[in-house]
Amino acid sequence: VWSGPSELGPRRLRQIGRIRRDGGTVEVAYRTVAPGRTDLRAFERPVCPPARMCPQFIIVWEVHIRVTGR
């Protein structure tokens, strides 16, 4: 199950609308609000039933963004 992306560092982006989830995907749109650098990060963790063996991993997705111009 993927988390919604969250912005790290200076706030250069504004989320447009809601986070959309469909199956195993997450979709979200952003608008730039200020020039500079920022990052987006999301995590994926397994969903395990109670009292069952479960893999212990976390996947990290991260993108580095540079906003230029207006």
Side-chain angles (χ1 to χ4, degrees):
V1 174
W2 282 98
S3 69
S6 58
E7 188 172 5
L8 308 172
R11 303 294 180 215
R12 308 288 184 211
L13 309 172
R14 179 176 298 136
Q15 185 175 320
I16 302 170
R18 296 177 157 202
I19 295 175
R20 292 181 294 262
R21 297 176 188 278
D22 183 18
T25 66
V26 175
E27 184 178 334
V28 63
Y30 292 92
R31 173 172 295 155
T32 61
V33 294
R37 295 174 186 259
T38 192
D39 300 314
L40 288 176
R41 183 182 291 168
F43 299 93
E44 194 269 340
R45 294 180 172 95
V47 176
C48 302
R52 292 270 179 109
M53 289 182 56
C54 185
Q56 298 297 309
F57 65 87
I58 297 174
I59 298 172
V60 177
W61 172 88
E62 186 170 308
V63 63
H64 307 286
I65 300 167
R66 187 176 77 192
V67 178
T68 60
R70 295 169 61 108

